[in-house]
Amino acid sequence: MDATRVTEQPTSFDRAQSGADPADGRGALLRASTPPRSPGAAALPVQARTGEPPSGPRPGPPPGPGQDTAPSGAAPAGAGASLPAGGGPEHAQPSAAEPDTHRPRPAPETAAAVPEQGRGTQERPVERRTGQRLPAGGPLPMRRDGDRLRFVGAATRRIARGMDLDEIVMGLCRATVPTFSDAILVYLREPLPVGDERPVGPLVLRLRRSDRIPAERDTENGFMPAPVPEQPSELSVVTNELCEVRPGSALGEVLRGVRPVFTDAPSARAALNELLGEDAALPLPDGRRAVLAPLRGRRRVIGAALFLRRPERPAFEADDLLVAAQLATHSALGIDKAVLYGREAYIADELQRTMLPETLPRPTGVRLASRYLPAAETARVGGDWYDAIPLPGSRVALVVGDVMGHSMTSAAIMGQLRTTAQTLAGLDLPPQEVLHHLDEQAQRLGTDRMATCLYAVYDPVSHRITIANAGHPPPVLLHLGGRAEVLRVPPGAPIGVGGVDFEAVELDAPAGATLLLYTDGLVESRLRDVWTGIEQLREKLAATAQLTGPDHPPPLEALCDEVLDMLGPGDRDDDIALLAARFDGIAPSDVAYWSLEPEDAAPGRARRLARRALARWGLEDLTDAVELLVSEVVTNAVRYASRPVTLRLLRTDVLRCEVGDDVPQLPRLRQARATDEGGRGLYLVNRLARRWGATRLSTGKVVWFELNRG
């Protein structure tokens, strides 16, 4: 049978063809076997094959009301009378009085009907060619092109439903077992090449998945379960999970041939032994009960599938090679697409992961939590971003922005704007100046590069926050008592408009309060406008705070989850970026601040002031190290400063010391030579301090270091 006959003439086995030889079974009418039915169901008529005696008259169903009876002398339905070519019951038109007449689906050609042996029971049909009764619980063999065509269609649909590699391989296994084979082994190339990549090294096949006839009922394909629970089949025992295909070997030649082969030939048998291994514990069935099908993608062979049947089941036929070829082709192309899709998803995930902060910092006096949700699982990148940037003086910059769209282009623009914001924050510019420079950067990227952004700076010492807005939804402040407040911030124009003056406001940030920054995807959708969503967000925060009481703020992580729960099904059309900041602040009793004149006596005075502060805090064990490091840093500041030098000590989980001056040049660590009189101050700081750094300010710089409290 060729492929054209299978696909273009699927009904040639269903009815007699004009001019066909009556002795030829292909041109004769089929005799349908009795399908499985529930107890008490009416028996379906059986059509006799041309040239065979009828199996006995079977009365048809009684005519319905208003239905004409058959004319005198006509053969009753199901009586076994021969019908002219093309005039089988499949082409008979139902009468007007019975528009919904059900036509039974013909059974496979080789399954002969067996009379009932008792009420509610039915024996398995007999295989026509061998005369053996088919085993109970097993699928009926496919002997007709129509059966094979329907099976291939259902199997390819099941394979095509898979999106990733595992789903496609599982779809192949579940579609073929037990309909087409009793067991299947799927080997794939290790590693799988992606797209136009040229694989390096030898061809190695790894067993990806194996499957066998399940003990439970396959409800999708409608096969009856076995009468007794099956034991683990010997077909599922494989010892060789990795196979290297040597050039010129029997397995290599079979894979190069692309087409499925029976394993009864000596060369194919050798290829199968090479695939499974010489010492494999899998007993191979004799005859044509094993089909080895190479899996070829768009450019190269990517694996192989082995279909196996038990000895008690009819062997494969030549037409089954076409079925195996179709299954292998659809599976290989699906695997190619899945690998490409997986690579694209990996690139998108990596791009988004690198664009967003991998971990949030832990600045002094504030706790942070964040969430990011893409617009859809199939589009995992977008233009929303958030950031938390530590600033000098224990301050922290909180940023959230949204570039128009949620595509790869939006993600690329978002990455450039986020990098620009980090650079501007490192210069310690005011929030309105940061937005102004971001607007200029967006105009340089293109005329249609629009984005919204909100930039806030929190000072834990003064318990104040400075906010500037560029067309972004206003933040919400959740107070310790449970009151949620939408902050009144000037909206401003989006970034990229150009020629816009941004304005900043300074507000109180009491200890225990929580500031929530978000993008419009959280509060705006097709089902609600942005202000309705903001009001719902405010109510959600207030209701969540009531659960923990007025004296205990809700945990940050749980609060973020509760906020995202306000989104209902179909209520998310855009990316969502969420940044929550809990203001703990630094108590005034934990802060010591002094201003020193730039004179030679400043280092000695700094040592005395630091020693008194440590004694007041009960940190006398740090006195020697703090006096030494403060003296070195203040000495460097006084040497070049023209204005007063500031000294500040902060007691939190660590002891932090900050020295500020009006010189913008940052100090650099270098190795002093033996003949140098100076240059060892930062070396001592680097060796004794837990960590240290220097940050440029708009009015100079700050050099800081931290020591563990013991």
Side-chain angles (χ1 to χ4, degrees):
M1 181 188 67
D2 54 8
T4 304
R5 191 166 189 175
V6 172
T7 58
E8 297 184 0
Q9 300 179 4
T11 60
S12 62
F13 289 85
D14 297 342
R15 62 180 185 272
Q17 302 294 329
S18 301
D21 185 3
D24 187 2
R26 296 181 179 269
L29 293 175
L30 300 176
R31 182 175 64 185
S33 62
T34 305
R37 54 193 174 86
S38 58
L44 296 176
V46 179
Q47 179 181 349
R49 180 181 292 274
T50 304
E52 295 183 3
S55 59
R58 290 179 179 264
Q67 180 180 356
D68 296 337
T69 58
S72 176
S82 299
L83 297 176
E90 293 188 5
H91 298 274
Q93 299 296 329
S95 62
E98 191 178 0
D100 297 331
T101 303
H102 173 69
R103 292 189 290 109
R105 189 176 183 179
E109 178 181 349
T110 57
V114 180
E116 291 183 303
Q117 302 299 324
R119 181 176 178 85
T121 60
Q122 184 179 13
E123 295 185 2
R124 297 293 293 173
V126 177
E127 210 281 323
R128 177 170 299 170
R129 299 187 181 183
T130 62
Q132 299 178 356
R133 192 175 304 279
L134 296 179
L140 298 177
M142 294 183 294
R143 299 299 186 191
R144 296 173 53 202
D145 291 349
D147 294 336
R148 290 189 174 92
L149 193 60
R150 284 189 292 270
F151 164 70
V152 171
T156 52
R157 286 193 298 271
R158 189 165 189 172
I159 295 171
R161 285 201 298 262
M163 288 292 293
D164 57 15
L165 181 61
D166 293 332
E167 289 179 352
I168 292 175
V169 175
M170 181 182 294
L172 171 63
C173 295
R174 296 295 172 83
T176 55
V177 178
T179 314
F180 182 69
S181 63
D182 293 327
I184 182 175
L185 305 177
V186 181
Y187 287 82
L188 295 182
R189 192 163 189 158
E190 180 73 18
L192 278 170
V194 181
D196 297 334
E197 291 182 356
R198 291 184 176 274
V200 295
L203 173 59
V204 178
L205 299 180
R206 179 180 292 275
L207 180 63
R208 184 75 184 193
R209 185 178 177 87
S210 62
D211 205 351
R212 62 180 180 87
I213 292 182
E216 64 275 5
R217 178 189 179 100
D218 190 340
T219 56
E220 180 173 343
N221 294 313
F223 291 103
M224 300 297 293
V228 294
E230 290 185 356
Q231 299 298 324
S233 172
E234 68 278 0
L235 298 176
S236 62
V237 180
V238 179
T239 58
N240 188 27
E241 295 188 357
L242 198 65
C243 172
E244 180 178 348
V245 182
R246 298 181 299 274
S249 63
L251 180 58
E253 294 300 322
V254 171
L255 296 180
R256 287 180 55 190
V258 179
R259 296 183 179 181
V261 295
F262 293 119
T263 59
D264 55 348
S267 58
R269 193 77 173 186
L272 187 57
N273 291 332
E274 182 181 349
L275 179 65
L276 300 179
E278 298 295 339
D279 55 347
L282 175 63
L284 300 178
D286 297 329
R288 294 187 170 184
R289 288 184 171 81
V291 174
L292 182 58
L295 302 177
R296 180 175 179 83
R298 290 174 177 81
R299 299 182 180 275
R300 59 187 64 85
V301 174
I302 60 175
L306 178 61
F307 304 94
L308 298 171
R309 284 186 180 178
R310 291 193 178 98
E312 61 269 17
R313 186 173 177 180
F316 289 109
E317 298 181 355
D319 293 343
D320 292 327
L321 292 180
L322 298 177
V323 176
Q326 289 290 326
L327 297 177
T329 300
H330 282 274
S331 301
L333 295 179
I335 291 172
D336 258 359
K337 293 180 180 179
V339 172
L340 288 174
Y341 173 77
R343 173 60 63 88
E344 292 179 358
Y346 170 78
I347 293 175
D349 289 340
E350 286 296 307
L351 176 63
Q352 193 68 51
R353 186 185 63 81
T354 54
M355 292 297 181
L356 296 176
E358 185 174 357
T359 57
L360 292 174
R362 296 182 178 179
T364 303
V366 61
R367 287 174 287 172
L368 303 172
S370 63
R371 294 291 187 274
Y372 174 80
L373 293 179
E377 290 298 328
T378 55
R380 309 187 185 192
V381 294
D384 293 15
W385 89 91
Y386 61 89
D387 215 339
I389 308 169
L391 298 178
S394 299
R395 296 171 300 155
V396 59
L398 307 175
V399 191
V400 63
D402 182 7
V403 179
M404 291 177 53
H406 43 79
S407 61
M408 299 288 285
T409 303
S410 302
I413 298 174
M414 176 267 288
Q416 298 180 67
L417 293 180
R418 177 174 177 250
T419 303
T420 304
Q422 288 180 331
T423 304
L424 296 172
L427 299 176
D428 196 29
L429 298 178
Q432 63 272 21
E433 291 295 326
V434 172
L435 294 184
H436 175 73
H437 289 290
L438 284 177
D439 180 60
E440 293 181 342
Q441 176 67 10
Q443 294 180 63
R444 285 191 291 267
L445 295 177
T447 57
D448 57 345
R449 307 310 187 191
M450 306 285 292
T452 64
C453 182
L454 192 144
Y455 189 93
V457 176
Y458 170 66
D459 189 345
V461 177
S462 63
H463 297 273
R464 302 282 289 178
I465 185 169
T466 306
I467 306 176
N469 190 8
H472 203 78
V476 180
L477 184 64
L478 179 62
H479 294 270
L480 183 59
R483 181 174 63 92
E485 175 189 5
V486 179
L487 298 182
R488 296 182 178 180
V489 180
I495 291 174
V497 174
V500 179
D501 186 23
F502 299 98
E503 182 181 355
V505 294
E506 187 174 352
L507 304 171
D508 289 331
T514 304
L515 183 68
L516 197 70
L517 308 180
Y518 54 91
T519 56
D520 58 354
L522 179 65
V523 295
E524 185 180 19
S525 68
R526 292 171 295 178
L527 305 179
R528 57 184 176 182
D529 61 88
V530 60
W531 290 109
T532 301
I534 292 175
E535 181 61 23
Q536 292 179 359
L537 174 61
R538 189 192 66 79
E539 295 175 354
K540 184 68 173 180
L541 290 174
T544 304
Q546 296 298 327
L547 300 177
T548 57
D551 299 331
H552 302 281
L556 274 183
E557 298 295 337
L559 182 64
C560 293
D561 294 336
E562 288 293 330
V563 168
L564 294 180
D565 285 343
M566 65 179 286
L567 301 173
D571 198 19
R572 183 157 64 91
D573 306 323
D574 199 359
D575 308 334
I576 296 176
L578 181 66
L579 179 62
R582 174 70 46 76
F583 299 145
D584 295 333
I586 300 177
S589 59
D590 293 330
V591 180
Y593 180 83
W594 304 278
S595 179
L596 307 175
E597 292 295 330
E599 55 188 11
D600 295 340
R605 185 186 176 197
R607 289 193 298 268
R608 291 191 301 270
L609 294 174
R611 182 169 57 251
R612 294 173 185 174
L614 294 178
R616 185 172 65 252
W617 290 337
L619 301 178
E620 291 86 353
D621 54 339
L622 299 179
T623 301
D624 294 339
V626 171
E627 286 187 4
L628 176 61
L629 299 184
V630 165
S631 178
E632 291 293 338
V633 176
V634 172
T635 299
N636 292 337
V638 169
R639 179 177 301 177
Y640 304 102
S642 59
R643 295 180 181 180
V645 176
T646 61
L647 173 62
R648 185 167 70 170
L649 296 180
L650 302 175
R651 183 184 64 169
T652 57
D653 54 342
V654 296
L655 179 66
R656 182 182 177 98
C657 177
E658 299 174 352
V659 178
D661 57 59
D662 60 343
V663 180
Q665 287 78 16
L666 299 180
R668 293 288 182 263
L669 180 65
R670 65 184 183 89
Q671 186 70 33
R673 293 175 296 181
T675 58
D676 292 342
E677 295 183 359
R680 296 176 178 85
L682 288 181
Y683 179 77
L684 293 175
V685 174
N686 184 63
R687 293 296 302 269
L688 297 179
R690 173 177 175 265
R691 63 190 186 108
W692 73 279
T695 306
R696 183 179 287 110
L697 304 178
S698 57
T699 58
K701 69 175 181 295
V702 169
V703 179
W704 56 270
F705 62 86
E706 293 178 354
L707 294 173
N708 292 324
R709 293 177 54 180

